[in-house]
Amino acid sequence: MNPQVSVRRRVAAQAGDWTDATPPLLRRVYAARNALDEAQARPRLAHLLPPDGMLGLEAAATLLAAAITGNRHIVVVGDFDCDGATACALGVRGLRQLGARRVSHAVPNRITHGYGLSPSLVEELATLEPDLLVTVDHGIACNAGVAAARARGWQVLVTDHHLPGEALPDADVIVDPNQPGDRFPSKVLAGVGVMFYVLLALRRHLRAQGAFADAVPDLGVLLDLVAVGTVADLVPLDANNRALVAAGLRRLRAGQGCAGLNALAEVSRRAPGRLTAADIGYAIAPRLNAAGRLEDMALGIECLLTDDAGQAREIAATLDAINSERRAVQQQMIDEAEAAIERVALGEAVPVGLCLHDPDWHPGVVGLVASKMKERLHRPVIAFAPSEPGSDSLRGSARSIPGFHIRDALADVAARHPGLVERFGGHAMAAGLSLHADRFDAFRDAFQAAVAATLPPELLAAEVLSDGALEADDFVRANAEALRDGGPWGQGFPEPQFDGEFDVLGWRVLGERHLKLELGGPGMRLNAIHFGGWDGTQPPPRVRIAYRLEPDDYRGGDAIQLVVVHREPV
């Protein structure tokens, strides 16, 4: 089954105050996103929100400063996704920049330890003899792990961005803009963004103590890591996050990124000087994430920490190979998920909240399966796999649609059915959970009931938002480049896309799945590509499409192409 899809045009706000350097088309796009001047559209680091108001930040700076001056052993504990990996590398690099001489790092193994700072991970960390653990991109829900660390006499600083549960962990300090009582204006920092703010506060604290006899360390050199982690975690790109991502992209484009990220861009065949947020999301981040999904994210973190360009290339090549394996595993699991959905659809309507499970699935890839099925069906989806082969414990990864808060839905199920869910956490659009295998059926029924009771039916109709139609003289390379470079685009500040009706002048299939089109209109002949758009049927003579206008770097020169995101007959 395919969801109903409608194309709706955004309503642009009134014209703003722009310089002549901003093309009229880009002004229109910005205005539709309520950005009415250069500062709103392209915020700079000078516009970054000050650290004041983030609860626990000063206490965290005091704790870290004492560890640095006391030459204590600090262990930064990362996570096995891209945000967690970049936050870990950021923490290690930043603490060393600020004077820490004994800094190590660790990361849980998805299969062995599960999510975050678990008691089993704490037991392994004992061999490192840490004095202070700093969690990044996790910890707010790791009550048992924090308690285990504190029982050993270690200090614990939790830095996280996820939503807290009813009880906070008993850490020495917690920094999380989503914890109760926090007054920081932006609640959508990624884990790497929270750690960057911790480093800013620490630098300020150390400067006040007179710690820097010479130059004050420049933490801006770490913004490449902040950009990659922020984009990869799909947090909304509010003005604060756009300032961070844009600054990091500028470093990457100038060839000033760390050796690992430069190598990942190279192995992804992305031109460094033209890197965009989309390149991070679709090329760099998946290769980093692949390590945590199928192998061990320690390899990804090693890539981000090395300063040896040759070593970085070797690790990037390994990550690229792991990513190819991940794609093959993912496609097999998606095929199996689609077959299961087709079997359900033959007998009854597909539930508004869908739970999928296969005992042979890989726990590191279920999030991608949930995401693909959510996109196809436009409804909340949770995909489950055994925590490890033969295990009685299941790990689920949930993905939601706009307007439905998936973490709140899990909280509702957990509250109504005590003991059903072992643990859960996440955001509005994505969450994770674990439960015993013999409770899958009961959870599925409870989740479907919760979604059916709270999800408005109108949200099940997929919607493509358009920035309107383009005129014949808009289809030029200068506009395509301005749109590409006008970001960073992403969650909450979506990439520009337009819609219109065109004649189909020619078509052919590429790679068995993609559709190459030649489209025409009054005075126009345009090349277009619809990735994954081949459905086995010949396109009609005339179509309405929603599309992105992009430079066609493959053909070069003044060439442009339309990247189709939705197509329907006229």
Side-chain angles (χ1 to χ4, degrees), residues 72-145:
R72 299 173 192 160
H73 186 195
I74 305 171
V75 177
V76 181
V77 185
D79 191 24
F80 41 62
D81 69 358
C82 190
D83 186 16
T86 52
C88 183
L90 174 83
V92 171
R93 285 183 175 274
L95 289 169
R96 288 173 178 167
Q97 260 190 274
L98 295 174
R101 296 182 298 282
R102 299 177 63 204
V103 182
S104 304
H105 69 278
V107 62
N109 182 284
R110 188 186 296 266
I111 303 297
T112 307
H113 306 109
Y115 170 77
L117 185 67
S118 62
S120 62
L121 179 59
V122 168
E123 186 174 349
E124 284 192 18
L125 294 178
T127 59
L128 297 176
E129 298 183 353
D131 298 302
L132 168 63
L133 298 185
V134 180
T135 72
V136 290
D137 190 35
H138 71 280
I140 199 68
C142 299
N143 300 41

Side-chain angles (χ1 to χ4, degrees), residues 124-363:
E124 284 192 18
L125 294 178
T127 59
L128 297 176
E129 298 183 353
D131 298 302
L132 168 63
L133 298 185
V134 180
T135 72
V136 290
D137 190 35
H138 71 280
I140 199 68
C142 299
N143 300 41
V146 170
R150 293 289 302 279
R152 291 178 177 270
W154 307 340
Q155 293 178 309
V156 180
L157 164 60
V158 167
T159 77
D160 202 350
H161 69 124
H162 294 95
L163 297 172
E166 293 184 4
L168 296 177
D170 186 25
D172 291 85
V173 181
I174 297 174
V175 180
D176 183 333
N178 287 297
Q179 68 175 307
D182 187 280
R183 295 183 291 106
F184 189 70
S186 174
K187 303 301 180 184
V188 294
L189 283 172
V192 70
V194 173
M195 188 60 204
F196 185 70
Y197 267 88
V198 169
L199 294 173
L200 290 176
L202 175 59
R203 183 178 64 176
R204 182 175 64 180
H205 185 94
L206 292 171
R207 181 192 294 155
Q209 291 184 330
F212 307 122
D214 300 319
V216 176
D218 178 15
L219 295 177
V221 301
L222 303 173
L223 284 167
D224 55 336
L225 294 167
V226 179
V228 171
T230 299
V231 171
D233 214 45
L234 299 178
V235 294
L237 293 188
D238 64 358
N240 203 60
N241 278 338
R242 291 206 310 281
L244 292 169
V245 172
L249 278 171
R250 286 194 293 272
R251 292 195 63 82
L252 287 166
R253 288 171 181 163
Q256 297 172 340
C258 67
L261 290 180
N262 290 340
L264 286 168
E266 181 181 308
V267 79
S268 305
R269 294 175 292 282
R270 294 304 197 271
R274 295 194 298 266
L275 275 178
T276 65
D279 291 321
I280 291 175
Y282 292 109
I284 294 175
R287 284 165 172 81
L288 267 176
N289 270 329
R293 293 187 188 281
L294 296 188
E295 300 284 340
D296 187 342
M297 185 48 95
L299 184 65
I301 295 172
E302 184 182 355
C303 185
L304 300 177
L305 285 175
T306 183
D307 291 320
D308 183 306
Q311 183 184 26
R313 289 192 184 95
E314 290 180 8
I315 299 173
T318 301
L319 292 173
D320 187 54
I322 295 172
N323 190 54
S324 296
E325 180 186 354
R326 185 272 306 167
R327 283 199 298 263
V329 172
Q330 174 187 338
Q331 190 56 54
Q332 178 181 343
M333 289 169 60
I334 287 173
D335 290 344
E336 291 167 353
E338 289 181 337
I341 292 169
E342 291 297 337
R343 287 195 296 271
V344 171
L346 289 175
E348 55 185 294
V350 175
V352 291
L354 189 64
C355 290
L356 299 168
H357 167 237
D358 191 297
D360 295 325
W361 282 356
H362 193 293

